[in-house]
Amino acid sequence: MATEAVEIKVGERAVRVSNPDKVYFAELGLTKRQIVEYFLSVGDGILGALRDRPTTLERWPGGVFEGAKLSTRADNRGDAFYQKRIPKGAPDYVETARITFPSGRPADEVCPTELAVVAWAANLGTLTFHPWPVRRADVDRPDQLRIDLDPQPGTDFTDAAEVAFEVRALLESLGLAAFPKTSGGRGLHLYVPIEPRWTFVEARRALIALGREMERRMPDQVTVKWWKEERGRRIFIDYNQMARDRTIASAYSIRPTQRALVSAPLSWDEVGHVHPEDFSVLTMPERFARVGDLHAGVATEAYSLEPLLEMVERDQRDHDLGDMPYPPEYPKMEGEPKRVQPSKARDDA
């Protein structure tokens, strides 16, 4: 039975929470109201991750239950979905940013400017927020380089952490700093705040150059191979996460796992000692009250991308290494190699 709606005070706003006792995580008995209250408990952190950024909402209106799945481009019959345009009937305090997809189509995405927007989105079943690496003042020039360390089959978080320290050393040698966080799954994310002077294409090429250098330094542990059949038991540096309209779960987002794990900012001293399971909706509020927002510096620092772009030029000059394949939904990009699986290319030869 649905329960009567309640209003929760968020700053100067009264945010309506419908059916507040609806269970969103059956294993833990967590309700919709508790999800809203979780986001409020980490308010400065989640808003710091989202403020002024066009944001895709990952909505689970039925909650997370066994067998629940996310709709995809190939199959839209899932129990959850991505909301890339502002929902109809949104309150007037929910602001937007106009972005352009790779296809050239525009959209007005939710652009959080205050914590009430996060609470409103949580009432709609939003568990995971996917902000673009740009601010709405200039949606075509990233201000974050996001490094996704993605464990492939046979590897895990511990392997990603080992690679993360080597990535950190490389970045520091170039005069850059990174802020780590758990993905909420098996992987690690490193955020490098950058000056918003370069395009998505340039930022993506910079990440490719970083990935290639890491592959040279740790050939048995790191890969930038786009095709899964070539990756092996290594950590994949997903360079296409810096392509336009590709996003990463924000810090403090909830992941659709039975234990309600969250994406947790870390200190570098913690990276080699923690596990993703340490951070959930139940544990993060106390941690946040104790350590604060470990990603606050992402919004205050800004580094030059030039050292990595010099590596792009060096790869091209010394190794004849150009661009790499884009995701399948992208139009053919200038300078991109053939988007063909190696095994299929051999079959066609």
Side-chain angles (χ1 to χ4, degrees):
M1 294 288 292
T3 51
E4 187 174 348
V6 298
E7 286 191 344
I8 295 180
K9 191 75 170 176
V10 185
E12 298 181 355
R13 311 287 187 193
V15 178
R16 183 177 183 271
V17 178
S18 61
N19 199 7
D21 295 332
K22 181 175 182 177
V23 175
Y24 266 27
F25 289 87
E27 186 172 306
L28 301 176
L30 287 173
T31 64
K32 182 196 280 193
R33 178 168 186 158
Q34 289 174 298
I35 297 303
V36 174
E37 290 172 342
Y38 159 75
F39 282 121
L40 298 183
S41 75
V42 295
D44 289 344
I46 187 69
L47 188 57
L50 304 178
R51 192 193 305 271
D52 293 327
R53 298 187 184 279
T55 300
T56 298
L57 310 179
E58 185 180 324
R59 294 175 56 184
W60 293 77
V64 177
F65 53 89
E66 187 174 355
K69 64 179 184 178
L70 187 64
S71 290
T72 64
R73 288 184 179 87
D75 183 359
N76 64 1
R77 297 170 297 175
D79 306 283
F81 58 95
Y82 293 110
Q83 180 97 44
K84 292 196 172 187
R85 290 177 168 81
I86 184 171
K88 293 181 180 179
D92 58 8
Y93 60 79
V94 179
E95 300 185 27
T96 62
R98 172 63 61 99
I99 50 89
T100 303
F101 298 124
S103 64
R105 293 182 298 108
D108 293 317
E109 282 209 337
V110 171
C111 185
T113 56
E114 57 180 286
L115 190 54
V117 176
V118 177
W120 161 82
N123 177 59
L124 297 180
T126 302
L127 299 180
T128 310
F129 293 85
H130 297 267
W132 283 44
V134 301
R135 295 188 185 273
R136 65 174 170 178
D138 189 345
V139 296
D140 294 316
R141 296 184 184 275
D143 68 345
Q144 296 173 347
L145 190 73
R146 298 173 176 177
I147 305 168
D148 182 5
L149 303 179
D150 184 8
Q152 300 303 290
T155 63
D156 57 20
F157 182 84
T158 301
D159 299 299
E162 184 177 348
V163 171
F165 284 113
E166 296 303 319
V167 174
R168 182 195 190 191
L170 171 58
L171 290 170
E172 287 183 341
S173 74
L174 299 174
L176 288 77
F179 294 78
K181 70 179 184 70
T182 67
S183 68
R186 298 188 309 131
L188 261 172
H189 298 156
L190 308 181
Y191 279 30
V192 181
I194 59 175
E195 300 165 357
R197 295 166 46 196
W198 296 276
T199 65
F200 275 99
V201 170
E202 290 169 314
R204 177 178 169 277
R205 289 299 303 274
L207 186 51
I208 289 172
L210 180 145
R212 282 171 167 160
E213 178 60 24
M214 289 305 305
E215 193 176 52
R216 284 189 283 266
R217 295 185 180 198
M218 306 178 76
D220 295 328
Q221 295 163 275
V222 174
T223 182
V224 289
K225 297 291 190 296
W226 176 245
W227 305 105
K228 291 182 179 180
E229 64 188 36
E230 295 186 306
R231 294 178 191 169
R233 296 178 58 175
R234 292 178 286 184
I235 300 299
F236 173 49
I237 297 182
D238 189 353
Y239 60 86
N240 269 330
Q241 291 292 10
M242 281 309 301
R244 180 185 291 273
D245 193 34
R246 294 292 284 246
T247 56
I248 287 176
S250 77
Y252 307 103
S253 276
I254 307 170
R255 307 316 303 272
T257 58
Q258 293 297 319
R259 294 185 58 197
L261 302 184
V262 303
S263 180
L266 304 173
S267 69
W268 276 106
D269 288 341
E270 293 177 304
V271 169
H273 304 287
V274 298
H275 296 280
E277 293 79 10
D278 296 334
F279 310 104
S280 74
V281 168
L282 297 178
T283 63
M284 181 57 77
E286 182 278 329
R287 171 181 168 84
F288 187 82
R290 177 167 42 86
V291 305
D293 181 17
L294 297 181
H295 266 210
V298 177
T300 59
E301 302 290 335
Y303 298 98
S304 173
L305 206 55
E306 289 175 355
L308 286 170
L309 293 175
E310 290 173 3
M311 290 173 59
V312 172
E313 295 178 1
R314 188 163 61 247
D315 278 345
Q316 183 75 59
R317 182 186 65 245
D318 298 344
H319 305 288
D320 195 27
L321 294 173
D323 207 345
M324 296 184 72
Y326 274 80
E329 71 272 14
Y330 273 64
K332 181 68 175 177
M333 303 294 286
E334 183 179 353
E336 181 189 3
K338 287 184 178 181
R339 212 178 289 174
V340 181
Q341 241 175 284
S343 58
K344 292 184 178 179
R346 287 193 296 269
D347 290 341
D348 293 341

